Amino acid sequence: IIIRTRNEEEWISKCLESVYNQSYKNIEVIIVDNSSTDSTIARCKKYPVKIINIEKFFPGKALNLGIKYSKGKFISCLSAHCVPTNENWLQKILEPLDNRLVAGAYGRQEPTKNSKDIDKRDLLLVFGLDSYLQSNDSFFHNANSAFRKEIWEKFPFCINSTNIEDRLWGEKVIQSGYKIAYVAEASVFHWHGI
């Protein structure tokens, strides 16, 4: 599980607590931190995580770095300000990856009670209650996602884009004939919008 952080002291403990309470226990958590100046790292050190620092941050570059240091054959990306809503989140987001035609899966994002109204609207419109497979639609979202490491080796994330590394990745895998799974049951609380 790759978690990118920068001054996430408000959310990181809640995120990690939920991650370590998952029913799927065989996990490795890698924090890729962008020079946090708050208590993020101190909070992370309360858990058995690997911490890597990155100074020149780009979203795809940070993910690629974390994945490079990972040992698992499945990779999950989770934003530090996302909190899995239940103990089956990880199991559910990994299930579609048994299908070799599925390049990756992304899960539902639910607003918190503190989310802005416009963010609540966007999250509820984009991340619906029904799971499905995408054959043409390349939308993918790394705030809550998973894929096989072997797929990432063929399609690493763009290291130069400032915020759409996941959309660019989705375009590449769809154009190469793969599918993307949306898993509504793999839900996280996400306090801001998309």
Side-chain angles (χ1 to χ4, degrees):
I1 302 173
I2 312 298
I3 303 175
R4 297 170 289 187
T5 58
R6 179 170 172 81
N7 296 335
E8 295 281 2
E9 66 184 2
E10 183 179 351
W11 293 101
I12 193 63
S13 296
K14 295 172 191 141
C15 173
L16 290 172
E17 186 70 25
S18 186
V19 162
Y20 282 102
N21 281 325
Q22 291 297 301
S23 58
Y24 190 106
K25 298 293 184 190
N26 185 17
I27 64 170
E28 168 190 44
V29 178
I30 299 176
I31 304 293
V32 182
D33 185 69
N34 181 19
S35 304
S36 289
T37 57
D38 64 2
S39 66
T40 297
I41 295 302
R43 291 170 187 259
C44 288
K45 287 182 176 177
K46 294 179 181 178
Y47 298 86
V49 301
K50 183 185 294 183
I51 300 171
I52 300 166
N53 191 53
I54 187 169
E55 292 182 15
K56 289 191 174 185
F57 179 84
F58 286 91
K61 180 180 176 186
L63 287 177
N64 288 344
L65 181 63
I67 296 166
K68 178 181 165 191
Y69 284 96
S70 70
K71 296 177 185 156
K73 73 176 196 175
F74 296 106
I75 304 296
S76 176
C77 301
L78 184 65
S79 287
H81 45 264
C82 286
V83 179
T85 63
N86 63 67
E87 69 278 356
N88 294 317
W89 158 76
L90 187 56
Q91 176 189 328
K92 291 294 183 186
I93 204 160
L94 293 175
E95 283 175 1
L97 303 181
D98 288 339
N99 180 343
R100 306 298 288 179
L101 294 176
V102 174
Y106 66 101
R108 187 163 187 241
Q109 297 178 36
E110 300 182 43
T112 69
K113 63 182 180 184
N114 296 324
S115 297
K116 295 177 185 172
D117 288 342
I118 194 164
D119 291 338
K120 288 180 182 178
R121 179 203 69 187
D122 289 349
L123 291 173
L124 293 171
L125 284 172
V126 172
F127 300 101
L129 297 173
D130 297 317
S131 298
Y132 50 84
L133 272 181
Q134 298 168 201
S135 298
N136 298 312
D137 181 0
S138 62
F139 183 81
F140 189 72
H141 205 289
N142 272 335
N144 175 18
S145 68
F147 41 87
R148 292 184 304 281
K149 191 171 189 179
E150 66 183 12
I151 292 287
W152 170 80
E153 288 167 349
K154 292 181 194 173
F155 305 101
F157 292 103
C158 175
I159 62 170
N160 300 315
S161 68
T162 57
N163 62 359
I164 58 166
E165 85 292 341
D166 40 13
R167 312 309 194 281
L168 297 173
W169 185 87
E171 285 178 17
K172 280 195 258 180
V173 299
I174 289 289
Q175 288 170 359
S176 296
Y178 288 96
K179 298 180 186 308
I180 294 172
Y182 169 67
V183 188
E185 299 83 11
S187 186
V188 299
F189 292 114
H190 191 171
W191 74 272
H192 69 67
I194 59 171

